[in-house]
Amino acid sequence: MVGSYTASVSDDDLRWTLGARLPGHDYKIFKTGFVEATHPRVDHTKTFSLIEAVDWVNVLALTADRQVVLLKQYRPGIDRVCLEIPGGMVDPGEDAMHAAARELLEETGYGGGTPELLGTVAPNPAIQNNWLHTIFIPDVVKLQEPKPEGDEILQVFTVPLHEMRERLVRGEVEHALVVVAFGHLAFRHHLP
């Protein structure tokens, strides 16, 4: 039965056996590839497409007076300026907490506070192998002017935390991984 549905099966019954990995192309910030796989319920080898990327961090930074540090930047995928939180790639040998503090300072000039891991998700487990770590940093203060990398063009600003719920409901935050970050914050800290 190809493509059959069974109401109750174990994870082992759903798992495919991965075989040969085939390289794709290196795009600097990610690599593409393919992996051959088999499953007892499928009578042929399937080739899955993969995007291999480093882990990412999203930073929910909050000032002592409960202002969320936000930024706007252009995103060519949807050809729009997006309302986001600071974030970026975890460098080789770097842990997520350090990456979060580094990205926050570089992109916004804010720092301080004790980082807390709110949650980790797979951005798109169907094709990507990386993880997104959402880090909460309370009690941040402006330490310096932003120093974004290379050609990043950002607008940094703050809004009261209580306003973020309305902005999210109105669809002002289009980046799914940013919405996930606020979900982590709300569930973990029972915040709006």
Side-chain angles (χ1 to χ4, degrees):
M1 273 189 211
V2 175
S4 64
Y5 171 77
T6 305
S8 179
V9 296
S10 74
D11 285 358
D12 288 339
D13 292 331
L14 299 172
R15 186 176 304 276
W16 288 67
T17 301
L18 300 182
R21 289 188 177 266
L22 309 166
H25 189 74
D26 187 341
Y27 293 94
K28 296 185 184 173
I29 61 169
F30 65 88
K31 295 178 183 178
T32 59
F34 307 92
V35 62
E36 294 177 350
T38 59
H39 192 279
R41 289 194 259 164
V42 177
D43 63 358
H44 60 276
T45 300
K46 178 177 173 87
T47 301
F48 289 105
S49 298
L50 300 176
I51 295 175
E52 299 173 359
V54 299
D55 285 358
W56 304 328
V57 291
N58 261 347
V59 187
L60 269 166
L62 198 62
T63 63
D65 62 348
R66 298 177 64 80
Q67 297 282 317
V68 181
V69 180
L70 298 170
L71 50 88
K72 285 186 179 180
Q73 66 180 311
Y74 175 74
R75 295 300 189 183
I78 60 171
D79 191 24
R80 293 181 72 155
V81 173
C82 292
L83 175 63
E84 301 180 356
I85 56 178
M89 296 188 296
V90 178
D91 289 340
E94 186 178 41
D95 67 38
M97 298 294 199
H98 183 266
R102 176 183 52 75
E103 288 287 347
L104 176 65
L105 188 62
E106 285 175 5
E107 291 185 347
T108 70
Y110 282 82
T114 303
E116 171 192 348
L117 177 66
L118 289 181
T120 299
V121 297
N124 187 348
I127 59 172
Q128 290 176 228
N129 70 336
N130 66 328
W131 297 94
L132 169 69
H133 310 281
T134 298
I135 311 297
F136 177 56
I137 307 180
D139 302 318
V140 298
V141 295
K142 183 81 179 263
L143 298 174
Q144 66 183 40
E145 288 304 310
K147 297 179 182 173
E149 289 183 10
D151 53 6
E152 285 182 311
I153 300 171
L154 311 170
Q155 176 192 359
V156 179
F157 61 102
T158 62
V159 299
L161 178 60
H162 66 85
E163 283 185 20
M164 284 310 301
R165 178 182 175 89
E166 288 77 30
R167 287 177 178 255
L168 289 159
V169 169
R170 286 193 305 260
E172 291 180 33
V173 180
E174 298 154 321
H175 195 307
L177 300 178
V178 175
V179 175
V180 166
F182 281 101
H184 281 304
L185 182 66
F187 293 139
R188 180 70 64 107
H189 288 278
H190 308 289
L191 297 174

